[in-house]
PDB file of all heavy atoms in Angstrom:
ATOM      1  N   GLU A  73      10.389  -0.721  19.145  1.00 91.00           N
ATOM      2  CA  GLU A  73      10.938  -2.059  19.376  1.00 91.00           C
ATOM      3  C   GLU A  73       9.919  -3.135  19.075  1.00 91.00           C
ATOM      4  O   GLU A  73      10.245  -4.239  18.650  1.00 91.00           O
ATOM      5  CB  GLU A  73      11.447  -2.192  20.795  1.00 91.00           C
ATOM      6  CG  GLU A  73      10.419  -2.011  21.914  1.00 91.00           C
ATOM      7  CD  GLU A  73      10.238  -0.575  22.375  1.00 91.00           C
ATOM      8  OE1 GLU A  73      10.644   0.347  21.608  1.00 91.00           O
ATOM      9  OE2 GLU A  73       9.650  -0.352  23.436  1.00 91.00           O
ATOM     10  N   PRO A 140       0.011  -2.894  -3.380  1.00 98.00           N
ATOM     11  CA  PRO A 140       1.388  -3.425  -3.343  1.00 98.00           C
ATOM     12  C   PRO A 140       1.600  -4.394  -4.513  1.00 98.00           C
ATOM     13  O   PRO A 140       0.772  -5.297  -4.733  1.00 98.00           O
ATOM     14  CB  PRO A 140       1.452  -4.118  -2.026  1.00 98.00           C
ATOM     15  CG  PRO A 140       0.038  -4.651  -1.823  1.00 98.00           C
ATOM     16  CD  PRO A 140      -0.846  -3.688  -2.483  1.00 98.00           C
ATOM     17  N   MET A 161       0.037   5.988  -9.382  1.00 96.00           N
ATOM     18  CA  MET A 161      -0.555   5.418 -10.570  1.00 96.00           C
ATOM     19  C   MET A 161      -0.654   6.479 -11.694  1.00 96.00           C
ATOM     20  O   MET A 161      -0.378   6.178 -12.862  1.00 96.00           O
ATOM     21  CB  MET A 161      -1.899   4.800 -10.258  1.00 96.00           C
ATOM     22  CG  MET A 161      -2.281   3.704 -11.223  1.00 96.00           C
ATOM     23  SD  MET A 161      -3.771   2.773 -10.644  1.00 96.00           S
ATOM     24  CE  MET A 161      -3.076   1.933  -9.221  1.00 96.00           C
ATOM     25  N   LYS A 209      -8.404  11.240 -18.072  1.00 92.00           N
ATOM     26  CA  LYS A 209      -7.516  11.813 -19.059  1.00 92.00           C
ATOM     27  C   LYS A 209      -6.238  10.970 -19.226  1.00 92.00           C
ATOM     28  O   LYS A 209      -5.702  10.790 -20.341  1.00 92.00           O
ATOM     29  CB  LYS A 209      -7.104  13.217 -18.656  1.00 92.00           C
ATOM     30  CG  LYS A 209      -8.241  14.253 -18.799  1.00 92.00           C
ATOM     31  CD  LYS A 209      -7.804  15.636 -18.366  1.00 92.00           C
ATOM     32  CE  LYS A 209      -8.914  16.665 -18.581  1.00 92.00           C
ATOM     33  NZ  LYS A 209      -8.519  18.003 -18.156  1.00 92.00           N
ATOM     34  N   SER A 220     -21.080   8.665  -6.534  1.00 66.00           N
ATOM     35  CA  SER A 220     -21.136   8.147  -5.161  1.00 66.00           C
ATOM     36  C   SER A 220     -22.530   8.488  -4.541  1.00 66.00           C
ATOM     37  O   SER A 220     -23.141   9.483  -4.849  1.00 66.00           O
ATOM     38  CB  SER A 220     -20.048   8.850  -4.260  1.00 66.00           C
ATOM     39  OG  SER A 220     -20.272   8.494  -2.940  1.00 66.00           O
ATOM     40  N   CYS A 227     -17.249  10.461  -6.488  1.00 86.00           N
ATOM     41  CA  CYS A 227     -17.506   9.287  -7.261  1.00 86.00           C
ATOM     42  C   CYS A 227     -16.603   8.194  -6.841  1.00 86.00           C
ATOM     43  O   CYS A 227     -15.587   8.474  -6.141  1.00 86.00           O
ATOM     44  CB  CYS A 227     -17.373   9.563  -8.763  1.00 86.00           C
ATOM     45  SG  CYS A 227     -15.680  10.043  -9.270  1.00 86.00           S
ATOM     46  N   ARG A 237      -4.051  -1.187 -17.268  1.00 94.00           N
ATOM     47  CA  ARG A 237      -3.453  -0.424 -18.404  1.00 94.00           C
ATOM     48  C   ARG A 237      -1.966  -0.247 -18.185  1.00 94.00           C
ATOM     49  O   ARG A 237      -1.211  -0.322 -19.192  1.00 94.00           O
ATOM     50  CB  ARG A 237      -4.213   0.896 -18.549  1.00 94.00           C
ATOM     51  CG  ARG A 237      -3.661   1.733 -19.712  1.00 94.00           C
ATOM     52  CD  ARG A 237      -3.918   1.051 -21.067  1.00 94.00           C
ATOM     53  NE  ARG A 237      -3.312   1.751 -22.149  1.00 94.00           N
ATOM     54  CZ  ARG A 237      -2.053   1.524 -22.558  1.00 94.00           C
ATOM     55  NH1 ARG A 237      -1.305   0.649 -22.001  1.00 94.00           N
ATOM     56  NH2 ARG A 237      -1.601   2.280 -23.574  1.00 94.00           N
ATOM     57  N   ASP A 238      -1.574   0.038 -17.029  1.00 96.00           N
ATOM     58  CA  ASP A 238      -0.133   0.182 -16.748  1.00 96.00           C
ATOM     59  C   ASP A 238       0.659  -1.120 -16.989  1.00 96.00           C
ATOM     60  O   ASP A 238       1.769  -1.112 -17.455  1.00 96.00           O
ATOM     61  CB  ASP A 238       0.090   0.667 -15.302  1.00 96.00           C
ATOM     62  CG  ASP A 238       0.242   2.193 -15.270  1.00 96.00           C
ATOM     63  OD1 ASP A 238       0.275   2.832 -16.321  1.00 96.00           O
ATOM     64  OD2 ASP A 238       0.296   2.697 -14.152  1.00 96.00           O
ATOM     65  N   ALA A 273      -4.406   3.914  11.662  1.00 89.00           N
ATOM     66  CA  ALA A 273      -4.350   2.612  11.030  1.00 89.00           C
ATOM     67  C   ALA A 273      -2.927   2.086  11.007  1.00 89.00           C
ATOM     68  O   ALA A 273      -1.993   2.888  10.735  1.00 89.00           O
ATOM     69  CB  ALA A 273      -4.954   2.639   9.659  1.00 89.00           C
TER      70      ALA A 273
END
Side-chain angles (χ1 to χ4, degrees):
E73 62 271 19
M161 206 169 291
K209 288 181 179 179
S220 172
C227 63
R237 179 64 186 90
D238 265 354

